[in-house]
Amino acid sequence: MQPMDYATLRERVYAGKLPNGLQVMVLHRPEYSRQFAFFATRYGGMDLRFRGEDGGGWVDTPAGIAHFLEHKMFDTEDGKALEILAANGAVDNAFTASHITGYYFEGTRGFEENLRTLLSFVSVPYFTQESVAKEQGIITQEIRMCEDDPENAVYYQLLESMYAHNPIKTQVVGTVESIAGLTPELLYQCHGAFYRPGNMVLCVAGNVDPDRVAAIAEDVLPKGFSSAVQVDLGQPEPPGAVRAYAQRKMPVAAPLFELGFKGEPAPEGGRLRQELVAQLACDVLFGPSAPLYRRLYEQGLINGSFDCYYSTAPGCAHIMAGGESRDPRQVLDEVLKEARRLVGEGVDGPLWDRLKRAAYGGMVRRLNSLESICIDLAQAYFDGDDYLRFPELFQSIEREDVQRLLECWCTQQRSSLSVITPVDGTVE
Amino acid sequence: MGGPKMERSHKILARGVELAVCRSDQFKTGLLGVTLAVPLQQQTATANALTPDVLYRGSRNYPDMECLSAATDQLYGAALGPAVRQRGESQCVSFLCSFIDDRYALDGMALLEPAARLVGEVLLDPVTEHGVFRRDYVSGEGANLADEINARVNDKRGWSIYRLTQEMCAGEAYALDKLGDADEAVGMEPETLWSRYQQLLERSRVIFYYGGSASPDRVEEAVLQSFQPLLHDRQVQLSCQVVAEPDHPVRRVTEEMDVTQGKLAMGFRTGGVTMGTELYPALLVCNALYGGTAHSKLFQNVREKLSLCYFASSMLDTIKGLMVVSSGVEFADFDRAEQAILDQLEAVRRGEFTAGEHTAAVRAVVNNLVSRRDSQGQMEDDCVTQLLSRGEWTAPEALAEAVERVTPQQVAQAAGMIRLDTVYRLTGKEGQ
């Protein structure tokens, strides 16, 4: 495990790659009471079609399988794994996103035992017909809950309008129908393909010994070297959105909207930089310090629920903004107008300076959370970036970078609007 | 336990005005909070909830959101915002400001003093017209607050718990919405809000909190400089009515909405066990064992064994003495789920849990308590909650030690005092 120092942030990370291909990173935080461990695979809801290194053909899997697998990994043959974590008072959980699945625990005692347990239950699959059937009952309820969630609905409705092929638009949880046909065999096959050490990363933060972390990982996990699998994301995406507008009714108090601009995925090794540039573009275009935000707010077109962000996954990148509004179409019109103005007139100098300063501070504040930092380190590793280099990257970003992005992405043709309108009588 | 250096200090600045400081080098940031606490009352709830939103629209020196946001940008993107919290039957109006520690400022700037100045200005020196709040700010924020109140219905789980609490505690101040009333928010007049604001400043209990690397002396100086108008004696009575047991048969409320999944919320009284009482540590363990963790009886039995729901969990309000169980189920399974939830509570009452389950629950509570020192936000929240409900501020480690000593008999005893009061069901519309 090699130490890396990040002087500006006063951080030290120990990192190394095990012979089996697993990347291990330990953030040294001696002053924290808790330890947080995050074990993740580069596999999520969008990875539906894949081919192993073993020369087999393409395998097609149903929507929701990565998430289903995540639930099932908590079952072990002796059923003891979670009892060990529980006995130490540790809190464990997991999540599945479109392109990453992560398992974690946080605790204040029995760290090494907890870590062994985490690594073991995630790397050793155990599925039966019976346990798969039982999980279908639980996940059906989770899917129902998502179906009733307007935030989820407005988000996926937007992705479906924006993307023609990219599987980012597939619901991570799948549908009741898609998970109905899942079998233990299929789950074993996906586990074998994606849960190999070469496709995974382990990030730990807290007052722990980095060499012990590496030694435990080496001891618990499979030994042979393994590399990543190949995933098919479908045909290349056209630059424009598929549909400009989509809406549906749900029991909400006021219309909810999410608007999106379809962007271009960053080149290899340039993802973190693009993220910083795109986030600054969001701040310039519709952040609370920018003129448009105030105008929309004062006209009552947006309220405090308004939020904007950049997000990316393999083969796609986009800017989104949304919240509640009585007139979402007008919000989008104003945003497009403001983007044209910014491209024409350029970004105001003093505004630019303070937005950059604020963005840097925001990222420093985020480092308080062991959870955030481990997830960010893991994601950046999968993307080929070094997350804690962000202070240096900020130095290299100029106004022109942001203007170029706005000019290319924030156009009518690349935009789409998703709206959820209230059904009558939602509120008595 | 124990961990690295963390120094707490607590000082009375005037009667009803206190400063709590938790000094530590652990964090990348400093957190400064000012909280004004008053009894939660029908006549004042809406105005008190609306006031911080209107204040946050602009001060005399930063008269609009863009100026104010520019000011926080200059402080390296300090996160400044209003918060309205309910603690028992008190309504707490706060401004919280999180800013990077001086060590990370690229130009060597000191952040605490300007951050305190900004918070003080926003709270105490608003932009005005005709001697009161600006009319457009009041009407704009009134509409936003009404939207926020009405939007509670969007989150069906939260809605079911909210409705349960309203029904269960009808007639108690606890049932009032901490955000007030939507219609009243929309119709608020600037003059009315202004006079309520003056009362809030004059008659509330005031708690300043700081967590971060600065010394208590430096913090006190910054507070004295920036919040002078608040630093005078005041008399505030804050209390919370604890109903030990329901005095009626189980109340049942069922409502319909256009949903695909049913929501079940069950409200219990904890038999008078609240923060600071003798059985309080046992109640915390009881809740963890019963439904507070992913290893609890509710999760393991109602979700995992019976596969009845995606979630089933219990939570406590330790000031009011309530426990709420919340679950999402198919409409057809309401009765089975409710019975299963009650069966599990009965099992805890009878002491039907293993030594392993007991130890796990104790350690889960201890882990949660000890971990709180790793979060500035949680420490601020704990400090305000404790000072308001008990008048003293103790390190979570002290409570953790008491929790370690809780016996299985005490857990069963705490469970035995819990009584079902009200059951709320949110179901689909007829014909679905």
Side-chain angles (χ1 to χ4, degrees), chain B residues 159-178:
Chain B
W159 177 253
S160 65
I161 296 170
Y162 171 72
R163 286 288 302 122
L164 168 77
T165 316
Q166 282 189 325
E167 292 290 334
M168 176 169 163
C169 301
E172 300 164 43
Y174 191 83
L176 293 170
D177 192 324
K178 67 172 181 181

mmCIF file of all heavy atoms in Angstrom, chain B residues 159-178:
data_model
loop_
_atom_site.group_PDB
_atom_site.id
_atom_site.type_symbol
_atom_site.label_atom_id
_atom_site.label_comp_id
_atom_site.label_asym_id
_atom_site.label_seq_id
_atom_site.Cartn_x
_atom_site.Cartn_y
_atom_site.Cartn_z
ATOM 1 N N TRP B 159 -46.241 11.007 4.646
ATOM 2 C CA TRP B 159 -47.627 11.463 4.789
ATOM 3 C C TRP B 159 -48.386 10.593 5.777
ATOM 4 O O TRP B 159 -49.136 11.093 6.631
ATOM 5 C CB TRP B 159 -48.308 11.449 3.412
ATOM 6 C CG TRP B 159 -49.766 11.826 3.437
ATOM 7 C CD1 TRP B 159 -50.833 10.991 3.279
ATOM 8 C CD2 TRP B 159 -50.317 13.132 3.635
ATOM 9 N NE1 TRP B 159 -52.008 11.682 3.362
ATOM 10 C CE2 TRP B 159 -51.726 13.005 3.577
ATOM 11 C CE3 TRP B 159 -49.754 14.395 3.847
ATOM 12 C CZ2 TRP B 159 -52.582 14.090 3.735
ATOM 13 C CZ3 TRP B 159 -50.614 15.478 4.010
ATOM 14 C CH2 TRP B 159 -52.007 15.323 3.942
ATOM 15 N N SER B 160 -48.199 9.281 5.687
ATOM 16 C CA SER B 160 -48.943 8.377 6.572
ATOM 17 C C SER B 160 -48.527 8.617 8.028
ATOM 18 O O SER B 160 -49.372 8.582 8.930
ATOM 19 C CB SER B 160 -48.744 6.912 6.167
ATOM 20 O OG SER B 160 -47.402 6.512 6.335
ATOM 21 N N ILE B 161 -47.248 8.889 8.263
ATOM 22 C CA ILE B 161 -46.788 9.135 9.634
ATOM 23 C C ILE B 161 -47.317 10.485 10.139
ATOM 24 O O ILE B 161 -47.747 10.632 11.281
ATOM 25 C CB ILE B 161 -45.247 9.079 9.698
ATOM 26 C CG1 ILE B 161 -44.772 7.668 9.360
ATOM 27 C CG2 ILE B 161 -44.733 9.504 11.069
ATOM 28 C CD1 ILE B 161 -43.283 7.546 9.154
ATOM 29 N N TYR B 162 -47.305 11.454 9.234
ATOM 30 C CA TYR B 162 -47.817 12.786 9.562
ATOM 31 C C TYR B 162 -49.298 12.723 9.948
ATOM 32 O O TYR B 162 -49.728 13.269 10.963
ATOM 33 C CB TYR B 162 -47.594 13.681 8.344
ATOM 34 C CG TYR B 162 -48.223 15.046 8.382
ATOM 35 C CD1 TYR B 162 -47.715 16.046 9.212
ATOM 36 C CD2 TYR B 162 -49.293 15.358 7.549
ATOM 37 C CE1 TYR B 162 -48.283 17.313 9.218
ATOM 38 C CE2 TYR B 162 -49.864 16.617 7.549
ATOM 39 C CZ TYR B 162 -49.360 17.589 8.392
ATOM 40 O OH TYR B 162 -49.919 18.837 8.391
ATOM 41 N N ARG B 163 -50.081 12.018 9.138
ATOM 42 C CA ARG B 163 -51.514 11.905 9.415
ATOM 43 C C ARG B 163 -51.754 11.129 10.712
ATOM 44 O O ARG B 163 -52.625 11.464 11.497
ATOM 45 C CB ARG B 163 -52.234 11.227 8.237
ATOM 46 C CG ARG B 163 -52.395 12.114 7.017
ATOM 47 C CD ARG B 163 -53.436 13.209 7.224
ATOM 48 N NE ARG B 163 -54.730 12.625 7.553
ATOM 49 C CZ ARG B 163 -55.409 12.893 8.668
ATOM 50 N NH1 ARG B 163 -54.916 13.745 9.554
ATOM 51 N NH2 ARG B 163 -56.572 12.321 8.896
ATOM 52 N N LEU B 164 -50.975 10.078 10.913
ATOM 53 C CA LEU B 164 -51.095 9.304 12.149
ATOM 54 C C LEU B 164 -50.904 10.213 13.363
ATOM 55 O O LEU B 164 -51.693 10.197 14.307
ATOM 56 C CB LEU B 164 -50.055 8.178 12.189
ATOM 57 C CG LEU B 164 -49.911 7.508 13.567
ATOM 58 C CD1 LEU B 164 -51.063 6.545 13.810
ATOM 59 C CD2 LEU B 164 -48.589 6.808 13.724
ATOM 60 N N THR B 165 -49.827 11.004 13.311
ATOM 61 C CA THR B 165 -49.500 11.867 14.448
ATOM 62 C C THR B 165 -50.617 12.873 14.697
ATOM 63 O O THR B 165 -50.983 13.136 15.845
ATOM 64 C CB THR B 165 -48.180 12.596 14.176
ATOM 65 O OG1 THR B 165 -47.259 11.668 13.638
ATOM 66 C CG2 THR B 165 -47.615 13.173 15.440
ATOM 67 N N GLN B 166 -51.159 13.429 13.616
ATOM 68 C CA GLN B 166 -52.258 14.392 13.775
ATOM 69 C C GLN B 166 -53.452 13.761 14.466
ATOM 70 O O GLN B 166 -54.067 14.355 15.358
ATOM 71 C CB GLN B 166 -52.695 14.903 12.398
ATOM 72 C CG GLN B 166 -51.784 15.954 11.819
ATOM 73 C CD GLN B 166 -52.401 16.558 10.565
ATOM 74 O OE1 GLN B 166 -53.070 15.877 9.796
ATOM 75 N NE2 GLN B 166 -52.188 17.847 10.368
ATOM 76 N N GLU B 167 -53.782 12.551 14.056
ATOM 77 C CA GLU B 167 -54.949 11.876 14.626
ATOM 78 C C GLU B 167 -54.692 11.453 16.067
ATOM 79 O O GLU B 167 -55.526 11.640 16.947
ATOM 80 C CB GLU B 167 -55.297 10.634 13.785
ATOM 81 C CG GLU B 167 -55.799 10.961 12.395
ATOM 82 C CD GLU B 167 -57.187 11.602 12.415
ATOM 83 O OE1 GLU B 167 -57.939 11.364 13.376
ATOM 84 O OE2 GLU B 167 -57.517 12.353 11.468
ATOM 85 N N MET B 168 -53.518 10.893 16.278
ATOM 86 C CA MET B 168 -53.200 10.331 17.584
ATOM 87 C C MET B 168 -53.082 11.422 18.648
ATOM 88 O O MET B 168 -53.523 11.248 19.774
ATOM 89 C CB MET B 168 -51.883 9.570 17.455
ATOM 90 C CG MET B 168 -51.329 8.977 18.718
ATOM 91 S SD MET B 168 -49.984 7.879 18.239
ATOM 92 C CE MET B 168 -49.148 7.691 19.788
ATOM 93 N N CYS B 169 -52.486 12.545 18.275
ATOM 94 C CA CYS B 169 -52.225 13.594 19.262
ATOM 95 C C CYS B 169 -53.193 14.763 19.115
ATOM 96 O O CYS B 169 -52.881 15.890 19.514
ATOM 97 C CB CYS B 169 -50.784 14.068 19.160
ATOM 98 S SG CYS B 169 -49.601 12.745 19.428
ATOM 99 N N ALA B 170 -54.366 14.510 18.518
ATOM 100 C CA ALA B 170 -55.350 15.576 18.353
ATOM 101 C C ALA B 170 -55.609 16.225 19.715
ATOM 102 O O ALA B 170 -55.806 15.532 20.708
ATOM 103 C CB ALA B 170 -56.641 15.004 17.776
ATOM 104 N N GLY B 171 -55.577 17.551 19.756
ATOM 105 C CA GLY B 171 -55.799 18.243 21.017
ATOM 106 C C GLY B 171 -54.517 18.533 21.783
ATOM 107 O O GLY B 171 -54.520 19.315 22.727
ATOM 108 N N GLU B 172 -53.409 17.899 21.390
ATOM 109 C CA GLU B 172 -52.119 18.192 22.023
ATOM 110 C C GLU B 172 -51.335 19.111 21.074
ATOM 111 O O GLU B 172 -51.474 19.006 19.850
ATOM 112 C CB GLU B 172 -51.331 16.895 22.247
ATOM 113 C CG GLU B 172 -52.065 15.895 23.141
ATOM 114 C CD GLU B 172 -51.480 14.475 23.043
ATOM 115 O OE1 GLU B 172 -50.245 14.346 23.036
ATOM 116 O OE2 GLU B 172 -52.263 13.521 22.949
ATOM 117 N N ALA B 173 -50.496 19.961 21.620
ATOM 118 C CA ALA B 173 -49.724 20.879 20.774
ATOM 119 C C ALA B 173 -48.863 20.111 19.773
ATOM 120 O O ALA B 173 -48.562 20.584 18.679
ATOM 121 C CB ALA B 173 -48.833 21.761 21.657
ATOM 122 N N TYR B 174 -48.476 18.900 20.150
ATOM 123 C CA TYR B 174 -47.619 18.076 19.311
ATOM 124 C C TYR B 174 -48.194 17.867 17.910
ATOM 125 O O TYR B 174 -47.460 17.722 16.943
ATOM 126 C CB TYR B 174 -47.423 16.725 19.990
ATOM 127 C CG TYR B 174 -46.359 15.876 19.375
ATOM 128 C CD1 TYR B 174 -45.020 16.065 19.702
ATOM 129 C CD2 TYR B 174 -46.682 14.860 18.471
ATOM 130 C CE1 TYR B 174 -44.033 15.276 19.145
ATOM 131 C CE2 TYR B 174 -45.697 14.072 17.914
ATOM 132 C CZ TYR B 174 -44.374 14.279 18.250
ATOM 133 O OH TYR B 174 -43.393 13.495 17.688
ATOM 134 N N ALA B 175 -49.534 17.836 17.820
ATOM 135 C CA ALA B 175 -50.170 17.542 16.541
ATOM 136 C C ALA B 175 -50.122 18.722 15.578
ATOM 137 O O ALA B 175 -50.401 18.572 14.391
ATOM 138 C CB ALA B 175 -51.619 17.123 16.765
ATOM 139 N N LEU B 176 -49.773 19.886 16.071
ATOM 140 C CA LEU B 176 -49.707 21.051 15.178
ATOM 141 C C LEU B 176 -48.562 20.863 14.197
ATOM 142 O O LEU B 176 -47.538 20.261 14.515
ATOM 143 C CB LEU B 176 -49.469 22.326 15.990
ATOM 144 C CG LEU B 176 -50.610 22.743 16.919
ATOM 145 C CD1 LEU B 176 -50.137 23.877 17.828
ATOM 146 C CD2 LEU B 176 -51.823 23.183 16.104
ATOM 147 N N ASP B 177 -48.743 21.395 12.994
ATOM 148 C CA ASP B 177 -47.695 21.298 11.991
ATOM 149 C C ASP B 177 -46.631 22.349 12.298
ATOM 150 O O ASP B 177 -46.946 23.523 12.443
ATOM 151 C CB ASP B 177 -48.313 21.544 10.606
ATOM 152 C CG ASP B 177 -47.358 21.173 9.487
ATOM 153 O OD1 ASP B 177 -46.139 21.395 9.653
ATOM 154 O OD2 ASP B 177 -47.837 20.669 8.463
ATOM 155 N N LYS B 178 -45.371 21.921 12.379
ATOM 156 C CA LYS B 178 -44.299 22.878 12.676
ATOM 157 C C LYS B 178 -44.178 23.936 11.577
ATOM 158 O O LYS B 178 -43.609 25.004 11.800
ATOM 159 C CB LYS B 178 -42.964 22.145 12.831
ATOM 160 C CG LYS B 178 -42.479 21.530 11.535
ATOM 161 C CD LYS B 178 -41.085 20.977 11.604
ATOM 162 C CE LYS B 178 -40.721 20.420 10.231
ATOM 163 N NZ LYS B 178 -39.424 19.822 10.131
#
